[in-house]
Every structure is written in C-alpha cells, then in structure tokens.
Amino acid sequence: MDTYGLLAVWSGYLFVMMSGDLYDWFDDSFLFHSGEIYFSPLLDLKKKLDGSCVSGNRNGMEKIKCDTEAVDSSIKSIFSERGDVDFAEQLWCKMKCVSSYQELIACFTLVLESRECGEIQPWIHHGSGSLLSKLIQQSYHGKMEAVSLTGITPVQMLLEIGLDKMKKDYVSFFIGQELATLTSLDCFISTSVDLQEQVHCVQKLHHMLEIMVSCTVLLQFKHESLFPWTQICIKYYRENPPDEKHVFQLPVSSALVKKFYPDHPEVWKVDISSGHGPKEVKTTWQVSTNPPVEHMMSNNTGLLSDSTVNAGIEEKMSFITVVKCSQVHFR
C-alpha cells in the first residue's frame, strides 16, 4: 500500500477510536502468536484496502491499470525526491507499516528514552506541529514533557508525523514545479486546526497532485496549462471539503488537445463570458452533427450544410445551438 493509503488507514482507525466505538479492542482484539502481539482489526482493514478483486472488461481494466500505475509511479518518485527530510519524517517512513499496537508503543518509547539520555541528536524542522516534534524541540532546552503512551496517544502521534511528512512533500512539489506559492498553500498546511481537518487538507492536496500528475504523465501538458489549473483547484478547495468526484472545468486551448480529436468531431462547443458582476452574460455556442431536439429533423432551420463529392453528392448537416445566461432581478 502506498504512503497516502497507509495514512488513510491510520487516520480512519484513529477517528473511529476517538469516537469510543473501538476502545474495547485494546482488551479483546489482540492475537497471541509465537510470542508476538498483532493488532488484528488493523491488519484486517489493511487487507480489505489491499484487495485485488477485479471485474469487468479485461482490456479496459488493463488500460486503466497501466495508466494508474504510471501516475502512482510518478507520485511515488515525487515523495522520494526531497533532500530535507527531518528525523520525524524519517521515523514515519520506518513506522508506518508497524503491525501491532505494542510495536508502536515500543518504537516511540525507544525514541523518547534515547533522546532523553542524549543517545540521539535528531534534527526537526522549525514549525513542525506534531507532538513528537514538539517533545524533541523541548529536549533542546534540557527537558521534555512527560507523555503517557497509552490509549489513542501512540496512534495519534504516528498520524501527526505522517501528516507533517506528506504536507511538506506536497508543498515541495507545487513550489518546485512553480505551480503555487507558499502563501497560496498556507490554508492547507496549517497546524492550528484539529487533526481531522488536517487530514482533510492532505486529502485536498493529494487530489490536486493527482490531477496535475495525470495531466503531465497521461496528456503531456506543460507548465503554461498546469499553472492556471492549479490555481482553479486551490480556489475551489479553499472553500469546499475534499471531493474526489468533483468535476473541475479546466480551460484548454484547442491546439493542446488536437492530437486527441477524431478525424471528424461530432460536437464543437465554445463558452464565452462577457461583462462583470450582475451584468455578466454567459453564451454557449454548440455545433453538432446530432440535433439537440428531435423535432429539428423536420426542417432546416439553424443548420449548416457541408456538401462533398465522392462518387455522388453526400450532404452533411450540422446543428447550431446557442444558449445565453444572465442574471435577472425580480421585484
């Protein structure tokens, strides 16, 4: 499972624990095997998310799988390119696949005790918002606050360092590719909001990243197109919750998509906006080889005719539809 998938598992599990529904699992759901303790509900959840049951058209699924793997590979490389990864981020990379609750506690106990004894000298990014980062920063001044590694605290600590790692990865990508500024991304990386809202912000960043990487890898679009699209996504997600099903309308010049056109397109459409504010008028022109309504077949009103000669005369007709939309005030 990729890093984003693992983060989704841990965050989903933590929030269910915080609701109190699964608190009894600490007592009832440990499996003892060969002297080790495994947290079975977490493993079951990971197995479900890793399921490989596939149905439908094989060729179509193989094409989707190929495209998905190309995008996933590019995203994976993005997450491995940063050279300023701090100690907490490295720890997330090591601990994200722990298989038991007790193993999670043992890892954090080892880190905190080693730091308290001065055995390790970890470097932490300034401004990191996780509890572990704050404890390590406290240790720079000689004393760490005592933390009880019980209940949901270890899971929450792991989720926090994972969120910190991924937010820095996303910011590094968007700034490095000159698609956004740190100021425009501030609302997505704030640590002043609660943990659930931070998870939603990471989901938004991941969705935007997937859109940009898909357009780059699958459609070979360049920076001049990706930059305005990024701004559209940022503007939408500043005001809306994460929604992977949302359809973004991204402006594309005809030259960019010419290679994807069929030889004889059946529909041409142009959207034009004029005026501003209450005086704005939106006009849509559509030229199609199919009638917009059935009764238009009975006459030739609003048609374009294109005659070609090929062992006879073949008449091709295109239907023109114009729609205008403007604000109307009722009193």
Side-chain angles (χ1 to χ4, degrees):
M1 187 183 296
D2 62 15
T3 299
Y4 180 73
L6 282 169
L7 192 71
V9 170
W10 283 111
S11 60
Y13 180 63
L14 174 66
F15 296 136
V16 174
M17 286 170 58
M18 290 172 67
S19 71
D21 293 341
L22 301 183
Y23 220 86
D24 290 340
W25 280 13
F26 287 116
D27 300 323
D28 300 330
S29 295
F30 287 99
L31 294 181
F32 293 82
H33 179 68
S34 300
E36 296 187 17
I37 301 177
Y38 295 93
F39 201 27
S40 59
L42 179 60
L43 295 178
D44 291 342
L45 182 56
K46 288 175 67 176
K47 288 177 182 177
K48 289 179 181 178
L49 293 175
D50 285 336
S52 57
C53 180
V54 177
S55 60
N57 180 275
R58 179 172 294 275
N59 292 332
M61 291 303 295
E62 287 178 354
K63 175 66 168 61
I64 293 173
K65 182 180 179 181
C66 182
D67 290 345
T68 301
E69 287 177 348
V71 172
D72 288 345
S73 176
S74 296
I75 292 176
K76 185 177 181 181
S77 68
I78 290 169
F79 286 157
S80 62
E81 287 176 357
R82 280 181 53 224
D84 62 338
V85 179
D86 69 8
F87 174 78
E89 294 176 272
Q90 294 180 52
L91 194 63
W92 158 257
C93 295
K94 298 293 185 182
M95 292 178 60
K96 63 187 179 183
C97 294
V98 293
S99 59
S100 72
Y101 177 72
Q102 185 148 324
E103 186 179 11
L104 186 61
I105 294 175
C107 289
F108 280 126
T109 300
L110 178 63
V111 169
L112 295 177
E113 289 180 351
S114 298
R115 176 56 193 151
E116 201 166 22
C117 297
E119 296 176 0
I120 57 173
Q121 303 295 327
W123 168 69
I124 297 293
H125 278 295
H126 176 71
S128 294
S130 69
L131 175 58
L132 179 65
S133 297
K134 290 176 180 177
L135 291 173
I136 292 175
Q137 288 168 348
Q138 287 175 7
S139 72
Y140 297 160
H141 306 287
K143 189 174 181 180
M144 283 193 302
E145 176 187 347
V147 174
S148 176
L149 295 175
T150 58
I152 66 173
T153 301
V155 182
Q156 183 171 336
M157 289 175 65
L158 182 64
L159 178 58
E160 286 177 347
I161 61 176
L163 288 170
D164 264 2
K165 168 73 165 65
M166 295 199 70
K167 283 189 284 189
K168 290 184 176 70
D169 287 338
Y170 294 127
V171 169
S172 176
F173 168 79
F174 285 112
I175 294 179
Q177 297 297 315
E178 298 182 350
L179 298 175
T181 63
L182 183 59
T183 302
S184 66
L185 297 172
D186 268 347
C187 58
F188 302 112
I189 59 177
S190 173
T191 57
S192 61
V193 296
D194 63 35
L195 204 58
Q196 189 159 18
E197 182 58 31
Q198 290 186 51
V199 171
H200 289 164
C201 288
V202 166
Q203 291 172 340
K204 295 175 183 181
L205 289 168
H206 189 79
H207 190 203
M208 291 191 288
L209 176 70
E210 284 184 326
I211 292 173
M212 297 309 129
V213 172
S214 296
C215 290
T216 303
V217 174
L218 304 180
L219 303 177
Q220 289 85 49
F221 288 160
K222 305 299 181 183
H223 179 270
E224 57 268 23
S225 298
L226 299 178
F227 178 78
W229 296 351
T230 304
Q231 305 312 306
I232 291 172
C233 294
I234 289 175
K235 182 179 179 181
Y236 174 82
Y237 271 139
R238 273 184 186 148
E239 303 169 355
N240 296 280
D243 180 9
E244 294 184 355
K245 295 183 179 180
H246 176 75
V247 178
F248 288 96
Q249 292 189 356
L250 307 175
V252 183
S253 67
S254 57
L256 285 176
V257 293
K258 185 177 180 180
K259 60 184 176 182
F260 301 110
Y261 288 173
D263 292 337
H264 301 287
E266 294 184 356
V267 178
W268 291 88
K269 182 178 178 180
V270 178
D271 292 322
I272 302 173
S273 295
S274 59
H276 299 282
K279 295 184 178 181
E280 182 179 9
V281 177
K282 295 183 179 180
T283 305
T284 299
W285 292 73
Q286 179 173 297
V287 180
S288 172
T289 55
N290 297 315
V293 289
E294 293 181 1
H295 68 264
M296 286 194 67
M297 292 298 292
S298 60
N299 59 67
N300 293 331
T301 304
L303 304 182
L304 288 178
S305 179
D306 178 20
S307 298
T308 58
V309 178
N310 183 13
I313 297 177
E314 179 186 355
E315 186 172 345
K316 294 183 179 179
M317 293 184 296
S318 297
F319 298 82
I320 304 173
T321 306
V322 181
V323 177
K324 290 187 177 182
C325 177
S326 60
Q327 295 185 21
V328 177
H329 297 281
F330 295 94
R331 293 183 180 179

